[in-house]
Each structure stands twice: as C-alpha cells, then as structure tokens.
C-alpha cells in the first residue's frame, strides 16, 4: 500500500500518459475524464519542465470528454464516443490515443472497448486505462508505450543488427529529454548504431510503426521504461539492457563500452570515439580551469534527484568535475531491493569521499537529512562547516539551498526557474553544458 | 435602495458540507455564440440550460481554482486528498508564492507546503480516510501550521470519504484548525464553483472573530480609535489574477478618500482572515470570484458590500470609486478625485490613442475582465470585433451594453480554443488580448497578442489603464513574432473546421438563437 507524500515530484498515471503523448510527433490525446484533468496536468508539465509549453495539441487544446456529475451517474461511454468522432473530424493527427481519468474508471466506463469501434480508422485510434489512482507519472509513461508496442508497432522477423530502441527517458519528468536523446543518438551513430527514440528529432508516427526491427532496447533506468522493454521482448523478441544516463565523460565512456560489447562493435571503433570526444571535452573544459583552481570552484555537493539522474549526476560531479559528493537524497517510490541495488552504484565513484545515499519519499524532509549529515556548530571557535556547498535538485529545493547558504541549480523535475530549449546533459557535450550551468551560478553575482 | 446584482441570492449554506454549484446557485451559461444582445436576453430565459458541446477541450477544474486561493494563505498546510495528479499545479507554482508574499511584505512568507494522500487502487475500494488522518498528523507535527486545509478531489467525492467526520474528530487533537474543502472537479462544469468551495471552508472554519479581551483598566480612547478606524476600513477582496501593483493602485485611490483600505483574503494569515468582518464595507473587484463570500459576511455580520464592476479602464474605475464613495457619503470628494485622475490620465493616454485608433481587437477571458477590458480599449478608439467569455451570468449582463455599440460577436466558452481560433481566423483582428493558456494558439495563428492579466502587470485602476494601453501599443510595435509562428509552427485544426460554423459545435444552440 502506498503512503501519503509531502510534495510529490511527479503527477499521476494520467499525467504521465499525457506528457508522453504530447512528446510523440503529431499524436493527439483524447482524455476521457472530468474537464480539468487534462488542462491541469498538461499545464504542470508546460510550466514545470523548463517551460516546455503545451506543444502541438496539449494545454487548453487537449480534446476531453469533460465528464460531469450526470455522466458519473449514467455512465460516460456515449459522451466518449461522440468526443472521439468529433476529434477525428476537427483535429489533424497522425495518431489518436484515448486515456482515462479516475472518475470514469471508478464508474466502470469501458473506454478501451469504445475505442475498439474505431479500430479500422486511419490514422489509428488507440486507448489505455490510465486513472490517477493506478500509479504515478512513470506508470502512465509505460502504459502508453506498452500499448504502442503491443498494438501499433509492426512485427518484424528480420532485425537490423545495429538498431536500438531508447527507453526510460520520460518526457517532462526528464526536463532535458529532447536534448538528452539527441546527444545519445549522435554518440550511437558515431559507432554505427541507429537509435529509435519515440520523442527525438526527426521522429514520426510512421517511423515508430517500424520500431519492431530493433535488435536491442536500452533502458536508461532500472525502474521506468522496463515494462515497455519487456513488452518489446515478449511481442517483438527484442532483448533489453539497462544503462545509466550517460552524463559527462566518465559515464558516457562506460555507456559506449557497454553498448559496444552488447552489439559487438569493434573495440577500436569505440575507443577511437571515446578518445576524440574526450579530447573535444577537455579542449573546452580547459577554458574554466584557470578560474576553477585560482578561485577554488570545488564544492561539497548535495544532490536531490530521482533515480534517473541521481547516480549519473553524482558521478559527473565526483568523477569529472572533482567535487566532493556529500549527500544524495532520492525521492522515488521504489521497493527496498531496488533501493539497495541503486545505492550500490555509488561505490563505483572515483572520489576518495563517497556520499551518503538516502531514499526519502517526502521532498519536505531534505533539510533534516542535510542537518543529520553534518555535525552542528556547538558554538565552537573552530567549526568545520558544510561549506562551500552546492545543492543540485529541483526548483522546490531553492529555499533549502538558501537556508544552508549553498549555491543552487535545478536539474531534476520540476524546473521553474529557468528555461530549457534544446539543451541536454548527456554525453561529453552535455557534461560541458552542465559544467557551464553549474559554474555560471558561481560567478553570476558579478 | 438601488438594485443590486445579487438581489434575490441568499448565502446561508454553511450547514451543508459543501457550497452549492454555480449551476444550481446562479443561472450561468458556458456555451453560446452570437450577438451580445441575444445572450443578455437569453440569461433568465433558459439560455443556460444547454451548455453542452459535441467536441470539448480541456478547461479548468474547480479544485485548482480553489487551490489558487487556499495555497496563498500564510503558514497553512494543504492536503490534497485524491490521486497524485490533482495537486500537481503546485509544482508549476514553485517559487511563486514566496515571491508574491515577499512583495506584499508578508513576514516569513514561505512556499506552499502541500501533501498528497496519493490514493491508489486499494484506497478506492477501502476508502482513503486513514491515509488522510496520517497526512494531517504529519502536517501538524512537521510544520505546526496555523491551519491544515483538506482539498478533496474526485476520488473521495465518488467513493464517499467522510472528511468532515475526520476533521471533527481530529480538531481537538491538533493545534491547527482543520478546514475541509469539498472541490471534486466532476461536480461542476463551471469552474468558478471552486471559489465558492474554498470560501465555504474559510467561512466555516477560519472566520471566527474572537471576543475582545476584557481589561481591568479600560482604555476608552484606544477603543474609540479602533472603532473609528473600523468605521473607515474597506476590505478590498483580491483575486488570483490581480497583481500586487493592482492592490497598491486600488488602495491608493481609497486612501485618497481618507478611507482605510485592507486587501485580503489572498496571501492573508489566520489572524487577518479571522477578523475579516471588522470593516465598514466589503468591496469586490470581480463578481465572479467572491459574491459567495461577501454575501455571506453580510448575512452573518451585517457588513455591507459592493459587488458592481471590475475597476479596469477609466469608466469602470470611476464607477467602482463612485459606488464606494456613495456608501461613505463622499460624493463630492470622489468627484474631485475622479476629475483630477481622469484629466491626468487622459492626457497621458493621448499618444497611445493615436496608435490604437481604428485598430481591431478581440478579447478573451473571464466574463468581467473580458468585457471591461474591451470597454476600455473601445474608449481609446479601437473597434471590438469580438469577446470570448469563459462563462456568462447575471454579473456580466450590465457589462455587455458597454461594448454593444459595435457589431461584435460574443462567444461563451471555457477555453475551447478550436471555436475561438475558427472565429479569429475569420475576424483577423489587429490585436488579441487573452487569458493565460489561450494566447499561444492565437499567436500561432499569426495574430499579435497581449496578456489579459498577470502577476507582473498592473492593469486595474487608473495606473492600470495606462499600463494596459502601453502594453497594447508595445505589442503592435513589432508583430513579426506571430507572423513567423504562423508560417513555421503548425496548429492541430483541420482546414474543414476553419470553414465550418464554430457554433454548430454547441448542442441545441438553435433554441438560444430564437430567444
């Protein structure tokens, strides 16, 4: 059984389904729910994911059945059918996808059944149950993609040996999802691998239909996207591996070697790419070294993020930027075994100091964990303080950073204090961008 | 006594657990297209009965409008009783409240503490009350808030969680006041019901004038002073869409009449709310928001109120001031003030009038703001080609006449950008002024836009009129962005839709046209 959450950094399954659909090229969500669900959830991602916007057909544009009390009593199936018919008439989409809210699932509307009446329709109309009470946004992401994998993507008996599907980067919940996908795709192409990305540049619903030809799925999370990867495995016989989000030189090199091994790419090719990307990284990173060492930009790092970012982000700070990883607080709602496995990753860090890793569901508890992690000043003449510190979290942590006198950058969702366009933090290049953002904060008072 | 907009309405609902919906309480319309005249005549003649669409798009939810009010209070914790997504708007508001409170000099203003009960499948079957209890006790021990507000969404609304019984039970176990607010989204199509739901909770649990402390040594002078101050105190009821700049401007005008303005309830603390009744007069700046609150305060404490117009533009600001002055018998004073303010403002507006003269405008948004903003730009020489109002009820009836001079189209639709873009594509106004969430579609259509409201803009009062005009002129000084967007960013509406009558989307509209 789940518990209450003090400031959850995600939305519900419907929200996750919606943010996923709004990131698919020219996909049109049809939300079978009360009138406000779609607008509210879409708006959350519009504003909190670095001002991502309503997109092609989100926000107030989102088609919705607008269920009211009368429908709760008599059922909302007729209203849904009418809404689907008129959406097809009015809205130009390459894929229509019905998702459902709490109200209609409690009263037992068969949205999937109603949608089946449109099964011969071109473009396709799909449906899935996504009531808020069925889980958080990550559940909604997997429900939408699993439905695509099982009902939309064509079966291919011939697999392309050097083609992979990228999963686990959840649009919106990963504020930098498009930039992150772009750089991973570029890196893979350097070693001769083509990536199917769902949400990246140049994708289309037609292309997604052909994703069945991949020979491997790479899931950038042990928790999110795995359900979809398993569906690829069962329906399309495509195996999967999980990988850490490759942020900066250390994690990206590890990622490329892992993929090279998995897809049997010659070692020389992988090493040549790592060498040239590394050379590129340091040719730019060198620029801030003078200031870094003269002004001492090394910081005690406190990281508050979800499992998609926490380890990779910490690794970048510890292994590439040379910071002291002090405390990692992770808000994900995952089981104890997964927590143990995740915690184990941090032993790979190259820094002498290893961080304390805490799983804490309640975002409001961060300040307590920080205080617990460091001895109080007992009015000592000589006090070894947690300073200079840098807090990397979501916009919700800005207050806490001020309280402890730490510098601050928002990277994890929600990000409301900066704008994100095509920026990403993956790859060697993403490491440069992240270093730029982190250290710009340190000189921004000039 | 002159006729009030609220004549015939009563406000004694506190014995019920929740406020009645707007549909039940006030005749209200949210699906109409045609002339302003027909709409005005239609209200009271069954226009509001239909309100159904063949193709609907997502508007708001009463829970979120209630949260807009409740989350603004100082040192109170919000518990979202529902599934995870209901309170997610707090994520997008992160950082905002602290800034809004700080600008209003609220001591120690913090970002909102909100707790989700995170109802899951098990809770849907066995009820969510135990989780809510844990959440309340957690809020109490972790944050020691002055009040814990329970905003209850659709799931508990359908499965029937008795949040009132739990509140009553815990009331004496925690030091915070517990405020249940019933705001399930499916209950009302008319999202403004959320304001009533929030104020219902506030009136029931937080408005609680304490008895005066009896002192052994009486201080007649202090008592007389307080009485005197209260006799000149005017409560200005702020709303989520007004800015701090608006509050400063409206307070400035009342101070000029030697009155004592007090702005509340948004961003107020528990003491200010509990003593809300200690004023000579309550004044609304937007009837859509607060007739439920003001009407009730009158019935319970006898505090007179004015619900008349939104002080936007010269005419409506004058009118708003005159109504208040009349109550205090300050008719002569207010005329002097108005004469001075209007003369200064008119002179300042001259250069803007030259730019705006003859240009066409379409305004979209909440009923009172859309119509009054339209009226103001009309007074500057613009031609109003259309108004899109999120809803239409008795409060906006007198405002239609202000814009009625021109032949203009009225669309009543909460959001519904498909209908709006269809209209705008035909009308192609020089400028569109609209609600947040609507402007982006219009800009993609290639029409220059300006926001109807915003936390950073002062659009009310005389200084607000100047700012509004300045904003419109600025938009027209460079319209290249919307032109670029029109050719480079696609809208999802089909060509056939643009060629069809947008109002065919409203069911039974024929009946309305015949009225």
């Amino acid at each position: 059984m789940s518990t209450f959450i003090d400031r959850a950094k995600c939305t519900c399954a419907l929200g996750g389904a919606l943010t996923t659909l709004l990131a698919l090229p020219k996909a049109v969500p049809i939300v079978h729910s009360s009138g406000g669900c779609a607008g509210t959830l879409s708006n959350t991602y519009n504003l909190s994911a670095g001002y991502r916007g309503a997109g092609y057909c989100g926000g107030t544009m989102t088609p919705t059945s607008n269920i009211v009390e009368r429908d709760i009593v008599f059922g909302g199936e007729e209203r849904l059918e009418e809404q689907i018919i008129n959406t097809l008439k009015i809205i130009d989409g390459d894929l229509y996808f019905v998702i459902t809210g709490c109200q209609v699932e409690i009263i037992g509307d068969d949205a999937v059944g109603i949608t089946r009446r449109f099964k011969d329709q071109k473009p396709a109309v799909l449906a899935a149950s996504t009531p808020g009470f069925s889980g958080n946004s990550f559940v909604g992401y997997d429900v939408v993609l699993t439905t695509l994998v099982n009902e939309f993507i064509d079966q291919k008996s011939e697999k392309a040996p050097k083609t992979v599907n990228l999963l686990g980067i959840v649009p919106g919940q990963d504020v930098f999802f498009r930039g992150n996908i772009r750089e991973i795709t570029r890196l893979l192409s350097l070693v001769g691998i083509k990536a199917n990305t769902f949400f990246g540049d140049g994708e289309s619903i037609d292309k997604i239909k052909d994703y069945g030809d991949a020979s491997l799925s790479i899931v950038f999370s042990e928790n999110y996207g795995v359900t979809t990867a398993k569906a690829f495995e069962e329906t399309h016989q495509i195996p999967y591996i999980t990988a850490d989000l490759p942020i900066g030189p250390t994690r990206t090199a590890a990622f490329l070697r892992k993929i090279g091994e998995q897809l049997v790419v010659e070692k020389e090719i992988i090493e040549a790419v790592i060498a040239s990307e590394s050379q590129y990284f340091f040719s730019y990173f060198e620029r801030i070294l003078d200031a870094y060492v003269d002004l001492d930009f090394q910081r005690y790092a406190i990281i508050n993020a979800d499992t998609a970012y926490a380890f990779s982000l910490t690794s970048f700070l510890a292994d590439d930027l040379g910071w002291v990883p002090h405390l990692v607080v992770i808000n994900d709602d995952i089981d104890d075994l997964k927590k143990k496995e995740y915690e184990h990753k941090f032993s790979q860090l190259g820094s002498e100091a290893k961080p304390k890793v805490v799983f804490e569901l309640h975002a409001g508890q961060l300040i307590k964990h920080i205080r617990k992690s460091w001895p109080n000043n007992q009015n000592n003449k000589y006090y070894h303080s947690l300073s200079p510190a840098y807090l990397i979290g979501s916009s919700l942590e800005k207050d806490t950073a001020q309280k402890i006198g730490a510098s601050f950058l928002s990277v994890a969702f929600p990000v409301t204090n900066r704008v994100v366009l095509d920026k990403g933090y993956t790859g060697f290049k993403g490491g440069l961008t992240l270093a730029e953002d982190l250290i710009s904060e340190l000189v921004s008072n000039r | 006594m002159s006729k009030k907009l609220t004549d015939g309405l009563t406000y004694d609902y506190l014995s019920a657990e929740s406020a009645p919906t707007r549909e039940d309480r006030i005749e209200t319309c949210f699906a109409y297209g045609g002339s302003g005249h027909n709409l005005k005549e239609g209200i009271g003649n069954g226009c509001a009965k239909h309100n159904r669409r063949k193709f609907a798009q997502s508007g708001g939810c009463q829970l979120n409008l209630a949260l807009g009010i409740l989350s603004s209070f100082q040192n109170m914790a919000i518990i979202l009783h529902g599934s995870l997504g209901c309170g997610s708007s707090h994520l997008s508001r992160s950082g905002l409240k602290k800034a809004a409170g700080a600008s209003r000099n609220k001591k120690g203003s913090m970002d909102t503490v909100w707790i989700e009960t995170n109802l899951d499948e098990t809770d849907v079957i066995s009820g969510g009350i135990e989780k809510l209890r844990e959440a309340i006790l957690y809020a109490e021990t972790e944050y020691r808030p002055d009040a814990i507000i329970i905003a209850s969404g659709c799931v508990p609304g359908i499965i029937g969680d008795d949040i009132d019984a739990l509140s009553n039970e815990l009331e004496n176990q925690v030091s915070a006041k517990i405020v249940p607010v019933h705001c399930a989204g499916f209950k009302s199509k008319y999202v403004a019901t959320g304001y009533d739901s929030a104020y219902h909770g506030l009136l029931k649990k937080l408005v609680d004038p304490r008895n005066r402390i009896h002192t052994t040594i009486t201080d007649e002078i202090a008592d007389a002073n307080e009485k005197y101050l209260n006799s000149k105190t005017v409560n200005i009821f702020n709303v989520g869409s007004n800015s701090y700049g608006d509050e400063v401007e409206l307070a400035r005008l009342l101070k000029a009449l030697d009155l004592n303005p007090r702005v509340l309830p948004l961003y107020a603390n528990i003491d200010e709310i509990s003593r809300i009744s200690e004023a000579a007069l309550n004044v609304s700046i937007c009837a859509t928001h607060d007739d439920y609150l003001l009407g009730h305060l009158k019935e319970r404490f006898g505090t007179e109120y004015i619900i008349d117009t939104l002080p936007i533009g010269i005419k409506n600001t004058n009118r708003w001031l005159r109504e208040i002055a009349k109550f205090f018998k300050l008719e002569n004073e207010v005329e002097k003030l108005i004469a001075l303010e209007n003369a200064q403002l008119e002179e300042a507006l001259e250069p803007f009038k030259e730019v705006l003269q003859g240009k066409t405008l379409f305004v979209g948004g909440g009923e009172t703001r859309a119509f009054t903003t339209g009226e103001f730009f009309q007074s500057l020489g613009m031609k109003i080609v259309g108004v899109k109002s999120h809803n239409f009820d008795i409060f906006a009836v007198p405002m239609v006449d202000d814009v009625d001079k021109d032949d203009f189209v009225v669309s009543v639709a909460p959001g519904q950008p498909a209908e709006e873009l269809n209209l705008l594509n035909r009308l192609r106004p020089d400028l569109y002024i609209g609600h947040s969430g609507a402007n982006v579609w219009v800009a993609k259509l290639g029409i220059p836009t300006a926001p109807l409201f915003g936390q950073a803009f002062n659009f009310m009062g005389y200084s607000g009129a100047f700012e509004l005009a300045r904003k419109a002129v600025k938009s027209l000084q460079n319209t290249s962005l919307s032109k670029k967007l029109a050719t480079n960013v696609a809208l999802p509406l089909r060509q056939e839709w643009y060629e069809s009558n947008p109002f065919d989307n409203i069911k039974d509209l024929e009946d309305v046209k015949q009225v």
Side-chain angles (χ1 to χ4, degrees):
Chain A
M1 207 185 95
S2 62
T3 168
F4 67 88
I5 303 176
D6 175 0
R7 280 165 276 185
K9 291 176 184 170
C10 58
T11 68
C12 58
L14 177 61
L18 191 59
T19 181
T20 303
L21 286 170
L22 293 177
L24 288 172
K26 236 180 139 182
V28 175
I30 300 173
V31 180
H32 185 35
S33 188
S34 282
C37 295
T40 300
L41 293 164
S42 168
N43 212 34
T44 296
Y45 288 103
N46 166 3
L47 300 171
S48 332
Y51 299 88
R52 169 193 174 195
Y56 179 67
C57 196
T60 54
M61 192 63 84
T62 319
T64 178
S65 58
N66 211 344
I67 290 303
V68 285
E69 191 146 34
R70 199 180 65 98
D71 306 302
I72 302 288
V73 179
F74 298 106
E77 295 185 350
E78 261 176 56
R79 180 70 264 282
L80 172 62
E81 186 169 14
E82 176 185 53
Q83 183 65 26
I84 297 174
I85 291 169
N86 288 300
T87 302
L88 295 174
K89 230 185 258 174
I90 294 171
I91 303 285
D92 177 23
D94 287 345
L95 173 75
Y96 300 84
F97 204 123
V98 177
I99 47 180
T100 57
C102 295
Q103 314 86 355
V104 301
E105 292 289 343
I106 296 178
I107 62 169
D109 274 4
D110 182 9
V112 177
I114 296 289
T115 306
R116 232 171 260 135
R117 295 177 197 169
F118 299 86
K119 70 176 176 355
D120 299 326
Q121 189 77 36
K122 290 254 157 29
V125 189
L126 301 174
S129 281
T130 54
F133 59 75
S134 67
N136 61 21
S137 19
F138 301 103
V139 171
Y141 163 85
D142 268 324
V143 169
V144 165
L145 291 195
T146 303
T147 307
L148 285 174
V149 170
N150 290 340
E151 298 175 29
F152 182 70
I153 293 174
D154 288 335
Q155 301 271 357
K156 306 252 170 160
S157 47
E158 287 271 309
K159 304 291 179 196
K162 295 276 187 294
T163 297
V164 296
N165 295 324
L166 304 187
L167 297 170
I169 296 177
V170 181
Q173 289 289 149
D174 181 342
V175 175
F176 306 90
F177 71 99
R178 276 190 69 180
N180 283 348
I181 288 172
R182 189 193 56 231
E183 185 57 14
I184 293 169
T185 307
R186 189 188 70 87
L187 285 166
L188 289 173
S189 76
L190 292 179
V191 296
I193 297 168
K194 176 179 167 270
N196 297 327
T197 67
F198 286 101
F199 315 107
D201 301 337
E203 293 291 356
S204 69
I205 295 296
D206 277 346
K207 286 186 188 170
I208 291 174
K209 213 170 175 30
D210 289 333
Y211 281 4
D213 70 349
S215 50
L216 182 71
S217 296
I218 305 169
V219 195
F220 292 97
S221 165
E222 284 83 32
N223 306 302
Y224 315 126
V226 174
T227 312
T228 308
K230 284 181 177 159
F232 265 123
E233 190 165 49
E234 277 166 31
T235 315
H236 301 274
Q237 296 78 48
I238 301 170
Y240 75 94
I241 56 165
T242 62
D244 297 317
L245 197 64
I247 297 177
T250 305
R251 292 269 68 80
T252 307
F255 168 71
L256 287 173
R257 290 189 183 115
K258 183 173 184 170
I259 298 305
E261 235 169 74
Q262 195 72 31
L263 290 179
V264 206
V265 182
E266 276 172 58
K267 231 180 183 162
E268 290 73 33
I269 297 177
I270 298 282
E271 293 307 323
V273 167
I274 292 173
S276 94
E277 289 288 312
S278 187
Q279 202 260 332
Y280 176 90
F281 177 86
F282 283 101
S283 77
Y284 282 96
F285 189 65
E286 190 185 11
R287 297 170 64 134
I288 54 162
L289 287 179
D290 310 60
Y292 186 120
V293 293
D294 284 344
L295 304 174
D296 184 20
F297 284 155
Q298 189 192 41
R299 292 289 181 267
Y300 290 106
I302 300 166
I303 295 102
N304 185 185
D306 56 16
T307 49
Y309 270 95
F311 171 65
S312 301
L313 204 51
T314 308
S315 171
F316 174 72
L317 300 175
D319 295 322
D320 300 323
L321 208 52
W323 286 11
V324 183
H326 170 63
L327 175 68
V328 181
V329 178
I330 300 164
N331 299 121
D332 298 40
D333 192 1
I334 53 175
D335 63 42
D336 289 347
L337 183 65
K338 287 242 172 84
K339 284 178 190 170
K340 272 269 162 276
E341 284 170 3
Y342 195 83
E343 204 182 323
H344 189 65
K345 286 175 191 279
F346 291 85
S347 61
Q348 303 168 55
L349 297 179
S351 54
E352 285 80 355
K354 302 280 189 281
K356 186 179 175 195
V357 179
V358 179
F359 283 86
E360 171 58 67
L361 199 52
H362 302 305
Q365 294 290 328
L366 174 66
I367 187 92
K368 282 193 180 172
H369 290 296
I370 295 173
R371 286 183 180 145
K372 252 191 265 172
S373 75
W374 199 270
N376 276 343
N377 186 354
Q378 311 283 0
N379 232 0
N380 302 332
K381 184 171 176 186
Y382 297 104
Y383 173 60
H384 173 39
S385 63
L386 179 55
S387 169
Y390 206 119
L391 172 58
I392 297 137
S394 76
S395 287
L396 296 182
E397 278 74 56
K398 199 176 176 181
D399 248 6
T400 305
Q402 279 168 356
K403 273 183 198 154
I404 63 165
S407 306
F408 171 77
L409 186 73
S410 59
V411 171
F413 180 82
V415 172
T416 57
N417 65 334
R418 54 196 196 119
V419 165
V420 177
L421 294 175
D422 68 345
K423 176 181 284 189
Y425 289 150
T426 52
F428 291 76
K429 279 190 174 175
L432 286 174
T433 311
L434 184 51
E436 217 170 67
D437 290 351
L438 285 165
I439 293 174
S440 287
E441 255 322 284
L442 299 180
V443 296
S444 66
N445 280 338
R446 298 223 164 165
Chain B
M1 208 181 138
S2 63
K3 201 172 156 356
K4 271 185 168 177
L5 289 170
T6 48
D7 278 350
L9 297 176
T10 60
Y11 296 98
D12 182 19
Y13 294 107
L14 289 200
S15 55
E17 64 182 26
S18 59
T21 64
R22 286 277 171 113
E23 290 94 319
D24 290 342
R25 194 167 70 80
I26 298 172
E27 187 182 3
T28 181
C29 164
F30 25 79
Y32 172 83
S35 76
H37 175 78
N38 280 352
L39 175 64
K40 212 177 70 175
E41 296 298 311
I43 282 284
N45 289 311
C47 150
K49 274 189 196 145
H50 305 301
N51 288 329
R52 288 184 300 144
R53 296 188 145 77
K54 297 171 193 164
F55 171 73
Q57 292 171 293
S58 190
C61 158
Q62 67 147 324
L63 179 132
N64 267 293
L65 272 72
L67 285 180
I69 293 170
L70 301 167
S71 301
S72 79
F73 299 147
Q74 307 296 322
N75 199 29
M76 299 192 194
I78 307 279
I79 297 182
L80 257 301
H81 190 36
S83 43
L84 266 184
C86 297
S88 73
S89 61
H90 281 113
L91 290 167
S92 45
R93 282 204 290 265
S94 71
L96 277 183
K97 181 183 162 195
K98 195 180 173 197
S103 71
R104 287 166 171 86
N105 288 320
K106 299 288 179 186
K107 247 204 219 146
S109 179
M110 298 289 293
D111 255 347
T112 313
V113 171
W114 88 93
I115 298 163
E116 318 251 9
T117 54
N118 183 21
L119 297 182
D120 60 20
E121 258 155 356
T122 321
D123 303 315
V124 170
I125 296 158
S126 49
I129 282 294
E130 283 315 305
K131 255 184 175 168
L132 179 58
R133 179 196 305 275
E134 286 166 22
I136 292 171
L137 297 175
Y138 171 89
E140 167 76 7
T141 47
E142 291 294 319
Y143 298 106
R144 297 279 166 197
D146 291 325
I148 296 169
I149 297 168
I150 307 163
S152 185
C154 287
V155 171
I158 298 174
I159 64 174
D161 273 354
D162 193 348
I163 63 168
D164 293 274
L166 180 70
S167 309
N168 293 338
E169 182 197 328
L170 292 180
E171 218 161 36
N172 298 321
Q173 296 175 33
V174 300
S175 64
K177 296 201 170 195
I178 301 179
V179 186
V181 174
H182 296 260
C183 44
F186 72 86
K187 290 272 184 191
S188 176
K189 246 188 201 181
Y190 188 1
V191 290
T193 296
Y195 303 134
D196 301 351
S197 301
Y199 287 140
H200 187 85
L202 175 141
L203 286 166
K204 221 170 160 170
K205 299 287 183 179
L206 296 178
V207 174
D208 178 21
R210 280 155 302 174
N211 292 325
R212 300 178 59 81
I213 298 161
H214 293 289
T215 45
T216 40
I217 304 165
T218 55
D219 187 343
E220 283 174 18
I221 295 173
D223 286 353
N225 271 339
E226 192 183 331
K227 226 177 191 177
Y228 174 70
L229 195 63
N230 283 351
S231 76
K232 298 191 0 160
T233 296
V234 180
N235 283 335
I236 301 174
F237 286 81
N238 53 357
V239 299
S241 63
N242 78 246
S243 64
Y244 180 56
D246 293 334
E247 292 171 13
V248 170
E249 165 68 356
L250 297 179
R252 173 185 76 90
L253 294 170
L254 296 194
K255 279 181 196 156
L257 294 171
D258 202 23
L259 295 170
N260 174 37
R262 189 167 66 159
V263 181
L264 71 192
L266 270 67
Y267 309 103
N269 62 34
I270 194 160
D271 289 328
E272 290 163 320
I273 294 171
S274 71
R275 297 168 62 182
I276 204 168
S277 62
E278 291 172 17
L281 181 67
N282 288 332
V283 181
S284 163
I285 55 176
C286 174
T288 310
H289 280 78
D290 43 32
D291 84 292
Y292 191 83
L293 177 59
L294 271 57
H296 180 90
L297 290 173
K298 161 86 170 116
E299 287 185 7
R300 187 152 139 211
F301 301 104
T303 320
E304 291 295 340
Y305 64 88
I306 293 173
I307 294 178
D308 192 76
T309 189
L310 189 71
I312 279 185
I314 304 165
K315 183 180 165 182
N316 282 296
T317 303
N318 289 352
R319 183 182 159 121
W320 187 79
L321 279 177
R322 281 191 179 110
E323 290 292 324
I324 296 166
K326 197 160 77 187
F327 177 84
F328 290 100
K329 307 216 170 5
L330 295 168
E331 283 96 339
N332 293 331
E333 288 82 349
V334 81
E335 289 311 323
K336 276 186 211 154
L337 175 67
I338 287 173
L340 175 71
E341 290 286 339
N342 286 8
Q344 290 174 340
L345 177 58
E346 291 286 1
E347 194 191 330
L349 286 173
E350 272 316 310
F352 300 142
K353 276 186 183 170
E354 280 170 33
V355 182
L356 299 175
Q357 188 70 39
K359 296 267 190 331
T360 55
L361 173 70
F362 189 105
V363 190
E367 55 176 354
T368 56
R369 202 183 267 265
F371 282 104
T372 51
T373 302
E375 183 283 324
F376 172 59
F377 282 105
Q378 184 174 268
S379 78
L380 297 181
M382 291 187 93
K383 181 175 157 49
I384 312 303
V385 292
V387 173
K388 195 279 291 273
S389 171
H390 284 174
N391 53 279
F392 191 82
D393 57 30
I394 47 168
F395 299 119
V397 168
M399 294 175 177
V400 178
D401 286 335
D402 285 340
V403 199
D404 219 352
K405 276 177 255 166
D406 294 303
D407 172 32
F408 77 114
V409 60
V410 177
S411 157
V412 180
Q416 314 302 320
E419 285 171 33
E420 190 171 24
L421 292 184
N422 183 319
L423 267 182
L424 287 167
N425 190 42
R426 290 153 200 266
L427 297 168
R428 289 278 158 187
D430 295 316
L431 181 66
Y432 171 89
I433 296 181
H435 196 278
S436 58
N439 292 306
V440 67
W441 310 118
V442 180
K444 287 177 184 175
L445 193 64
I447 295 168
T449 65
L452 183 67
F453 60 85
Q455 285 300 318
F457 319 131
N458 164 217
F459 285 170
M460 290 185 187
Y462 301 118
S463 64
F466 182 75
E467 286 302 316
L468 255 179
R470 226 162 70 84
K471 186 77 61 189
V473 168
K474 179 163 74 64
S475 288
L476 295 174
Q477 272 177 332
N478 187 351
T479 59
S480 57
L481 176 65
S482 49
K483 283 177 204 142
K484 285 265 162 54
L485 293 180
T487 47
N488 290 293
V489 183
L491 280 165
L493 300 170
R494 291 187 195 279
Q495 195 50 41
E496 296 86 335
W497 167 251
Y498 286 113
E499 284 154 16
S500 67
N501 180 353
F503 300 137
D504 284 346
N505 190 41
I506 301 168
K507 295 187 195 177
D508 315 309
L509 186 64
E510 282 312 303
D511 303 0
V512 179
K513 277 180 184 159
Q514 286 156 18
V515 171

